[in-house]
Amino acid sequence: MTETMTPDAQAELQAEFDALIAADQRIEPRDWMPDAYRRTLIRQISQHAHSEIIGMQPEGNWITRAPSLKRKAILMAKVQDEAGHGLYLYAAAQTLGIARDVMTQQLIDGKARYSSIFNYPTPTWADMGAIGWLVDGAAICNQVPLCRASYGPYGRAMVRICKEESFHQRQGFEILLTLMQGSEAQREMAQDAVNRWYWPSLMMFGPPDDESPNSAQSMAWKIKRFSNDDLRQRFIGMLVPQAEALGVTLPDPELRWDEENERWITSEIDWTEFQEVLAGRGPMNAYRLQHRRDAHEDGAWVREAAAAYAEKRSPRERSETKRGAESDREAA
Ligand SMILES: [Fe+2]
Ligand SMILES: [Fe+2]
């Protein structure tokens, strides 16, 4: 479409787009947008959706073994929220012109990325606490600024997601707090889980600013509002008093506040580990992907049944359902 346009018309559309961004207005699905902006959003939103979906696995692993009925109910609700997050985000990506089955295929073919944090194992119950506290905590730091992302459907999806994420973080904190008030063995289990999840959670903000080439463009487009390092700093600042309240130690002997530069000083992050996991060589990459593939194949009959049902209904019935949905929306 863009190629057949005259240079003048193209420049005019670009100027309108730039003005909307400069005025902090939202770009909506029907608005013209540069191809690179669209591609960046499709990549980012679909990766984000895949992360929510794959992210159900490390915790789903513990639903049957959660220590009480109450813990099972909470964990089940949390994992179900993550499925919902995946669905809002796939829907947001679809408004950019990519079909959901295309995104699913990219994921199960191993061609799409998702957050590398979900390629770590969850050997103990304390991992449920550490994931909620650290992984959902990092997700909140990353995602709160995304509520103001320039692309309307993405920003609006993030508002609801963030509300649920803050519940997730608190339930994780509460699991750790309960363990820390328990026996010596329980305290050790909580500390061990924090030791294993702390560094990977810091990596969730992505590489350092000087090695993050796409960040500047995303910030200019107001998709991203803060740099990776700034978000990481904010996250550490949030963790320090919470770790103290829990009575756990953050596994970094160098960690301290630098009064003069108003920044947290930390040990070097092991970026080779990050690159390895990203390249598919983390402890659980192959397992997570295979599990997702199996779930997709096991669900084939549901998709076939839904398609057959839709086919069987008369056009009149179908339009009645549509009208019903419309009047529901008006009534709401
Ligand atoms: Fe989520
Ligand atoms: Fe979450």
Side-chain angles (χ1 to χ4, degrees), residues 48 52 81-82 85-86 136 139 143 161 165 168:
H48 193 161
E52 303 282 356
D81 282 352
E82 306 300 3
H85 298 174
D136 292 273
Q143 293 173 5
I161 290 177
E165 293 302 353
H168 297 169

Short mmCIF file of all heavy atoms in Angstrom, two decimals, residues 48 52 81-82 85-86 136 139 143 161 165 168, ligand 1:
data_model
loop_
_atom_site.label_atom_id
_atom_site.label_comp_id
_atom_site.label_asym_id
_atom_site.label_seq_id
_atom_site.Cartn_x
_atom_site.Cartn_y
_atom_site.Cartn_z
N HIS A 48 5.37 -10.94 23.84
CA HIS A 48 4.79 -10.75 25.16
C HIS A 48 3.67 -11.78 25.39
O HIS A 48 3.60 -12.43 26.43
CB HIS A 48 4.27 -9.31 25.23
CG HIS A 48 3.93 -8.85 26.60
ND1 HIS A 48 3.81 -7.53 26.94
CD2 HIS A 48 3.64 -9.55 27.72
CE1 HIS A 48 3.48 -7.44 28.21
NE2 HIS A 48 3.38 -8.64 28.70
N GLU A 52 3.40 -14.98 28.23
CA GLU A 52 2.31 -15.25 29.16
C GLU A 52 1.88 -16.72 29.05
O GLU A 52 1.64 -17.39 30.06
CB GLU A 52 1.10 -14.35 28.86
CG GLU A 52 1.40 -12.84 28.89
CD GLU A 52 1.50 -12.27 30.30
OE1 GLU A 52 1.26 -13.00 31.27
OE2 GLU A 52 1.82 -11.06 30.41
N ASP A 81 -5.04 -16.39 35.12
CA ASP A 81 -4.84 -14.97 34.74
C ASP A 81 -3.81 -14.87 33.62
O ASP A 81 -3.97 -14.08 32.68
CB ASP A 81 -4.27 -14.15 35.91
CG ASP A 81 -5.32 -13.77 36.94
OD1 ASP A 81 -6.52 -13.99 36.71
OD2 ASP A 81 -4.91 -13.23 38.00
N GLU A 82 -2.74 -15.66 33.72
CA GLU A 82 -1.68 -15.58 32.71
C GLU A 82 -2.22 -16.00 31.34
O GLU A 82 -1.87 -15.41 30.32
CB GLU A 82 -0.45 -16.43 33.08
CG GLU A 82 0.16 -16.16 34.46
CD GLU A 82 0.65 -14.73 34.71
OE1 GLU A 82 0.49 -13.87 33.83
OE2 GLU A 82 1.19 -14.49 35.81
N HIS A 85 -3.98 -13.05 30.04
CA HIS A 85 -3.04 -12.04 29.54
C HIS A 85 -2.59 -12.39 28.12
O HIS A 85 -2.51 -11.53 27.25
CB HIS A 85 -1.80 -11.94 30.43
CG HIS A 85 -2.11 -11.51 31.84
ND1 HIS A 85 -1.16 -11.47 32.83
CD2 HIS A 85 -3.27 -11.11 32.41
CE1 HIS A 85 -1.74 -11.06 33.96
NE2 HIS A 85 -3.01 -10.85 33.72
N GLY A 86 -2.29 -13.67 27.92
CA GLY A 86 -1.89 -14.12 26.58
C GLY A 86 -2.99 -13.80 25.57
O GLY A 86 -2.72 -13.28 24.49
N ASP A 136 6.96 -11.83 38.59
CA ASP A 136 5.81 -10.94 38.40
C ASP A 136 6.17 -9.52 38.83
O ASP A 136 5.67 -8.55 38.25
CB ASP A 136 4.58 -11.45 39.14
CG ASP A 136 4.06 -12.75 38.51
OD1 ASP A 136 3.25 -12.67 37.57
OD2 ASP A 136 4.49 -13.82 38.94
N ALA A 139 7.93 -8.04 36.00
CA ALA A 139 6.93 -7.81 34.95
C ALA A 139 6.19 -6.49 35.23
O ALA A 139 5.96 -5.70 34.32
CB ALA A 139 5.96 -8.98 34.85
N GLN A 143 5.94 -3.33 32.86
CA GLN A 143 4.65 -3.18 32.19
C GLN A 143 3.86 -1.94 32.60
O GLN A 143 3.05 -1.47 31.81
CB GLN A 143 3.81 -4.45 32.41
CG GLN A 143 4.46 -5.63 31.68
CD GLN A 143 3.80 -6.96 31.96
OE1 GLN A 143 2.77 -7.03 32.64
NE2 GLN A 143 4.37 -8.02 31.45
N ILE A 161 -3.89 -5.98 32.70
CA ILE A 161 -2.84 -6.95 33.03
C ILE A 161 -2.08 -6.49 34.29
O ILE A 161 -1.82 -7.28 35.19
CB ILE A 161 -1.90 -7.14 31.82
CG1 ILE A 161 -2.64 -7.90 30.72
CG2 ILE A 161 -0.62 -7.87 32.23
CD1 ILE A 161 -1.88 -8.10 29.43
N GLU A 165 -1.22 -8.37 37.74
CA GLU A 165 0.17 -8.65 38.11
C GLU A 165 0.46 -8.23 39.54
O GLU A 165 1.26 -8.85 40.23
CB GLU A 165 1.16 -7.95 37.18
CG GLU A 165 1.19 -8.43 35.74
CD GLU A 165 1.49 -9.91 35.55
OE1 GLU A 165 1.83 -10.60 36.52
OE2 GLU A 165 1.36 -10.38 34.41
N HIS A 168 -0.48 -10.90 41.67
CA HIS A 168 0.47 -12.02 41.55
C HIS A 168 1.70 -11.79 42.40
O HIS A 168 2.22 -12.69 43.03
CB HIS A 168 0.92 -12.18 40.08
CG HIS A 168 -0.20 -12.54 39.16
ND1 HIS A 168 -0.07 -12.52 37.80
CD2 HIS A 168 -1.48 -12.91 39.43
CE1 HIS A 168 -1.22 -12.88 37.26
NE2 HIS A 168 -2.09 -13.12 38.22
FE FE B 1 0.94 -12.02 33.15
#
